[in-house]
Amino acid sequence: DEGQQVTKVTANVNKLNSGKGVIVDSGTTDTYLHSSVKSAFASAWRSMTGMDYKHSSMSLTEEEVLALPTVLIQLRSDASLNEPGTDGLVSSSGNLDPANPHDLLIAMPASHYMEYNAKTKKYVPRLYFTEGSGGVLGANFMQGHDVLFDWEHQKVGFARSDCDYASIPTNGGIVESPDADCSFLEEADFIRDICSAVSDCDAISESDRDGSWNDGQEEWGRVIGTQPRGDGKSCEEVSSALAAQVPGHEHLSCDDSKCYERRTCRCSCTQPGEKGAGSPTCAELKAPEADDSADDLCQDLWGSCHLKESYGECTQLRVQSAYNVNDGNCYKVGNETRACNIQGCATDTTRVPYRVQAILGLAAPKNATLSHLQMQQLEDAVAK
């Protein structure tokens, strides 16, 4: 940006690329460069921050971290593939290196190379100058970028990214709109609070009970499948619109992973209905009869990833539910959470903070589509 101070660090290119050279390694968390750069980098760091560059823990506020220098690493690029002035090239950043206008500049802001320890609440720099030959550009270098490993042509491509996985090019390269409404997992609704008519029935003595139907209300939940993007509708708005489409449904609230609504319900104190037909006795709702063999009817799917706060834990939730043969509905029995490995880009260096693009071909019938459940099963299988 204009007005930003740029301090060049002198480096011996031959030493930087000695041995087996500098590799881009997604399996290495931190970045390691040749030791010959250490002195010059330390001098530049001290002149810009007033501090010595060392790898001991530091107590810093988030604002102080963001005020630390952004490290620019220059990579030799293929001039035949990059037009002058392309965003990310030396030529688009003023006269930093007029002799090499096609070279690529990768920016490492302090939020990428300063690792935060949630237990000690301190930061440690993870950019090292220790190598006797060559170097490793690791995961913190790749953060905030799409990275394409082109094995066929022996090239590596970089592009700035907001790590919005939902907008990966599909349909012949057409990118989805950056604006998208919140969405919910299909066929994954669950009952959180049973029908209030159950307690109404309990209040009536057995001698006074008749075959009439008692109307009540129960609370249902929906698991958020994708969070809204851009100017898309919020989960509150989408949930309210869905509830308004059905008489007797009323939107209540949303949290980070679920939305709730109130629905009308009914049960009889004495007369059972047909199992699975939605007309059980109140006693059957009070003590649901679970069917373990039919649990696959309740699609307990993982919802969207959610980052609770800056530098906090990024998790996703799955509601555990059981199928009730009496009314054919899924009842919530618990929650399960796990660390999120997608959509939590650049928030924690223990997770993959970048996207590596690969092409995986799978044989399938023509025009075959996968359900959310099938996609989740495929993702779990590939991840193993």
Side-chain angles (χ1 to χ4, degrees), residues 201-210:
C201 187
D202 288 342
I204 303 174
S205 64
E206 290 191 17
S207 60
D208 293 332
R209 294 177 184 177
D210 55 27

Side-chain angles (χ1 to χ4, degrees), residues 39 56 82-83 85 98 110 112 127 159 183 194 199 206 226 240-242 251 266 348 363:
S39 177
S56 56
N82 295 313
E83 294 292 334
H112 292 186
L127 175 59
S183 66
I194 64 174
S199 58
E206 290 191 17
T226 57
S240 296
L242 290 173
H251 168 73
R266 60 176 359 209
D348 187 336

Side-chain angles (χ1 to χ4, degrees), residues 144-158:
H145 293 85
D146 290 338
V147 182
L148 174 62
F149 292 91
D150 186 348
W151 297 108
E152 181 179 359
H153 299 97
Q154 295 294 293
K155 298 181 186 297
V156 179
F158 296 87

